[in-house]
Amino acid sequence: MLDKTKKLISLSLAGLSTLPALVACDGGADKAPKKMNILFMMCDDHSYQTISAYDSTFIKTPNIDRIAADGVRFTNSFVANSISGPSRACMLTGKHSLANGFTDNSSSFDGAQQTFPKLLQAAGYETAVIGKWHLTSEPTGFNHWDILIGQGDYYNPTFICNGEKVQREGYATNVTTDLALDWLENGREADKPFCLLLHHKAPHRTWMPDTCDLELFADTEFPMPETFYDNYAGREAAKGQKMSISKDMDIVYDLKLADKDSTIHSRPDLEEWGRRIYNNMNTEQKKAWDAHYDVVIEKFKKAGLKGKELDKWKYQQYMRDYLRVITSVDRNVGRVLDYLEAEGLLENTLIVYTSDQGFYMGEHGWFDKRWMYEESFRTPLLMRLPGGVSGDVAEMVQNIDYAPTFLDLAGVEIPEDIHGTSLLPLLKNEKWEEGRDGIYYHYYEYPDEHAVKRHLGVRTEQYKLIHFYEDNVWELYDLKADKKELNNIYGKPGTEAVTADLKAKLVKLQEQYGEQEFIAK
Ligand code: SGN
Ligand code: CA
């Protein structure tokens, strides 16, 4: 789903331009920071389909695009385990899930282990994490932490600030940004380089927009993906999932039809949550909310939709709310970039924008993530390095690469046990010596909420091999011929050689990452 107007440029080709501003990392008499700062911005569940630097079908994100315009757009960026806590643990440690011990969202992160914030702190960095954390245990390796509890709430969220609970009035994305700007301005030691993890809860389910964005997209009809009515032929695992917009997305909870006279009913537990979320808002917020959704509710009641008409309505409603939430994210990214610019920090700060995984915008009929299929395996990744290049990088990179990248940038030796590889050469248009010809993936959270079976696999430039190992079911896709992954060619005549090659690659990666116990017998 890459924007067709933006041509892929491999780093080996000419065409990448260099950012003009490069401030020497060794500082000078004017007390400039000695090392490059790091601003690591991440959203939760932000699909690349809804960042206009990647795809402008649905929305324009001018501020996030500023990072891409001046920096590198990774066009083949993947996660190691497509779900929040595990993704975050992979990023902090630079290691796959089994090695870092956080395999699914019910895990608790062992904060005693090696992480990049700890190593940066030891190298003289001032470190902070603000926003979503989702690793259960208290953050370690941070001079300052101000985190949401669990998923956090969109309205008037409670944070834990360095161990103390604080409830803050307002909308999560604005509040989180305010906290980050306040730390940059007043909280940190200004003569030290900083590493700030600014991690939003948005646009996670239930996609609650800020009150000022409620009317956006109200009249827009979004094109439904071609695969919305996928029948999952040849893909047994996909038949059992519970992430269908049509069947599993709840009209009261997810789509905000909590009517005042309680005549609309949905799944009882979710309906109750839907009403509870509404009740968490203050009077002013409710007033703005009602002015929008009461009208939607009345229209819905009159329309009496069923079947495909109801599916269509759900899809539109989902997309509108999701994109409203993205609008707020983009505006807040703009606030941060403006601040950096005004403070002269754009010249000595690596800016990263990513998501904890990709997300389905109705492809295969789904919301949520978890699968090794492209929409959730991929994640957006933009990096702007002062003095680095701008343009597209097509090499396959993974979220285990962020930790070694940050360490490399800070001049810290990358520990041997880290699985990822520094992306710094790619940001500087240098040869990526370590390279990568296969990306490993392993998802563990079954049978949680959306019923996605455990699976692991390997992806190369052209192929993807997936093993749903508890049922011993394999899938193989030729990504060149079958971009939407509808045709499982595993076991088909003519695929023997490529299957053998992929299985050998998979075993090699499992050995490399200490996952021998999962090697297929
Ligand atoms: C919550 C959501 C799920 C979502 C998980 C994981 N349900 O449980 O839909 O898949 O989080 O998301 S909700 O009713 O609580 O919204 S993750 O990105 O944080 O891992
Ligand atoms: Ca997530």
Side-chain angles (χ1 to χ4, degrees):
M1 283 271 253
L2 295 174
D3 189 336
K4 287 167 206 76
T5 57
K6 202 160 179 186
K7 202 166 155 272
L8 294 193
I9 313 162
S10 158
L11 268 185
S12 50
L13 299 175
L16 287 164
S17 55
T18 305
L19 283 185
L22 173 60
V23 162
C25 289
D26 56 2
D30 60 356
K31 283 181 81 185
K34 287 201 165 38
K35 290 181 175 172
M36 192 80 77
N37 303 308
I38 299 165
L39 172 63
F40 176 14
M41 288 188 279
M42 182 161 74
C43 275
D44 193 341
D45 296 358
H46 193 175
S47 60
Y48 57 85
Q49 302 93 310
T50 55
I51 294 179
S52 44
Y54 281 97
D55 182 340
S56 46
T57 308
F58 298 116
I59 191 172
K60 291 265 180 285
T61 49
N63 291 300
I64 297 171
D65 292 6
R66 279 159 72 183
I67 306 170
D70 283 350
V72 164
R73 179 180 81 148
F74 288 90
T75 56
N76 286 299
S77 150
F78 300 90
V79 295
N81 183 354
S82 180
I83 186 142
S84 168
S87 252
R88 290 160 208 272
C90 290
M91 293 180 210
L92 285 175
T93 59
K95 294 176 186 169
H96 279 277
S97 303
L98 193 66
N100 70 47
F102 200 106
T103 53
D104 66 37
N105 272 343
S106 67
S107 311
S108 178
F109 188 70
D110 169 14
Q113 69 185 300
Q114 168 184 287
T115 62
F116 80 78
K118 281 189 190 174
L119 294 168
L120 289 181
Q121 206 180 31
Y125 271 72
E126 184 91 341
T127 58
V129 57
I130 295 175
K132 186 167 173 180
W133 170 249
H134 209 200
L135 290 167
T136 313
S137 57
E138 282 194 351
T140 55
F142 295 96
N143 296 79
H144 175 75
W145 50 278
D146 203 339
I147 56 167
L148 290 161
I149 300 176
Q151 297 285 5
D153 294 319
Y154 275 107
Y155 279 92
N156 314 321
T158 301
F159 289 74
I160 309 180
C161 177
N162 301 315
E164 300 288 324
K165 267 193 190 177
V166 198
Q167 200 204 352
R168 297 190 171 101
E169 203 74 358
Y171 182 71
T173 312
N174 302 332
V175 174
T176 307
T177 307
D178 291 346
L179 294 172
L181 292 178
D182 185 51
W183 183 78
L184 285 171
E185 180 69 16
N186 306 309
R188 67 192 170 101
E189 274 186 45
D191 58 346
K192 284 187 177 178
F194 68 81
C195 173
L196 169 61
L197 279 55
L198 167 49
H199 291 181
H200 290 291
K201 90 159 248 100
H204 192 275
R205 191 182 182 191
T206 57
W207 321 292
M208 289 176 84
D210 191 354
T211 49
C212 63
D213 295 318
L214 285 167
E215 295 307 323
L216 296 174
F217 309 106
D219 301 319
T220 313
E221 288 283 315
F222 297 99
M224 282 168 88
E226 274 172 43
T227 59
F228 191 86
Y229 287 109
D230 192 351
N231 63 6
Y232 316 119
R235 286 155 291 149
E236 285 312 304
K239 290 179 184 165
Q241 48 60 44
K242 293 196 177 112
M243 55 170 69
S244 144
I245 292 175
S246 172
K247 297 193 188 85
D248 306 303
M249 187 176 271
D250 192 85
I251 53 170
V252 174
Y253 178 61
D254 290 310
L255 300 177
K256 339 272 182 323
L257 297 185
D259 58 340
K260 307 287 177 302
D261 48 2
S262 269
T263 58
I264 298 181
H265 297 294
S266 60
R267 215 179 87 182
D269 54 335
L270 292 182
E271 185 185 323
E272 194 193 325
W273 271 107
R275 296 184 192 280
R276 202 178 295 177
I277 291 171
Y278 171 82
N279 285 329
N280 280 348
M281 289 190 272
N282 66 30
T283 312
E284 204 183 319
Q285 292 160 347
K286 278 182 182 161
K287 201 173 153 206
W289 191 265
D290 291 344
H292 175 74
Y293 285 107
D294 281 354
V295 179
V296 174
I297 289 169
E298 280 321 301
K299 268 197 194 162
F300 180 84
K301 283 185 177 172
K302 283 205 185 100
L305 303 171
K306 287 201 172 64
K308 287 198 171 170
E309 283 304 309
L310 179 59
D311 294 345
K312 190 174 160 199
W313 181 88
K314 289 176 88 174
Y315 181 71
Q316 299 304 329
Q317 214 42 31
Y318 164 52
M319 292 300 289
R320 285 178 190 138
D321 281 345
Y322 186 97
L323 295 171
R324 288 165 181 152
V325 175
I326 297 301
T327 303
S328 156
V329 165
D330 187 66
R331 179 166 56 238
N332 277 287
V333 167
R335 290 177 62 204
V336 175
L337 297 181
D338 289 348
Y339 175 83
L340 295 182
E341 191 168 16
E343 295 301 311
L345 289 165
L346 277 185
E347 286 77 35
N348 58 358
T349 304
L350 167 71
I351 302 173
V352 178
Y353 186 87
T354 188
S355 171
D356 61 342
Q357 12 67 206
F359 209 71
Y360 293 91
M361 311 308 313
E363 300 89 352
H364 306 287
W366 296 337
F367 63 102
D368 215 65
K369 51 261 174 177
R370 300 164 191 264
W371 301 97
M372 197 189 168
Y373 304 133
E374 293 291 276
E375 290 82 358
S376 46
F377 184 24
R378 284 178 176 270
T379 200
L381 180 63
L382 307 170
M383 289 194 181
R384 180 194 187 278
L385 176 71
V389 289
S390 69
D392 283 355
V393 168
E395 274 78 356
M396 292 189 294
V397 303
Q398 198 163 27
N399 55 357
I400 51 168
D401 297 330
Y402 309 168
T405 304
F406 300 155
L407 296 174
D408 198 8
L409 182 71
V412 176
E413 198 179 326
I414 301 166
E416 286 275 309
D417 62 351
I418 281 189
H419 295 161
T421 298
S422 169
L423 304 178
L424 208 52
L426 296 173
L427 299 176
K428 292 178 166 174
N429 200 16
E430 291 166 3
K431 192 169 172 355
W432 199 32
E433 298 286 351
E434 296 187 56
R436 182 178 281 129
D437 64 355
I439 288 258
Y440 182 67
Y441 182 82
H442 193 161
Y443 168 83
Y444 301 78
E445 194 171 286
Y446 182 80
D448 195 45
E449 208 164 346
H450 297 289
V452 174
K453 296 268 179 164
R454 288 178 170 222
H455 59 288
L456 54 81
V458 61
R459 186 200 192 277
T460 60
E461 236 172 75
Q462 188 174 351
Y463 293 100
K464 186 184 292 179
L465 179 73
I466 312 179
H467 191 203
F468 293 91
Y469 52 89
E470 289 182 326
D471 301 320
N472 196 23
V473 167
W474 293 86
E475 293 182 5
L476 173 66
Y477 297 97
D478 178 344
L479 301 169
K480 267 201 187 135
D482 175 28
K483 286 197 169 42
K484 296 190 180 357
E485 297 163 295
L486 299 172
N487 187 18
N488 172 15
I489 55 172
Y490 185 83
K492 297 267 159 74
T495 59
E496 297 81 1
V498 74
T499 304
D501 178 54
L502 288 165
K503 284 191 174 174
K505 276 204 168 73
L506 183 59
V507 168
K508 210 170 137 218
L509 291 170
Q510 288 174 309
E511 283 168 348
Q512 187 181 334
Y513 300 140
E515 301 212 359
Q516 289 89 339
E517 65 188 272
F518 288 99
I519 293 175
K521 305 279 180 315

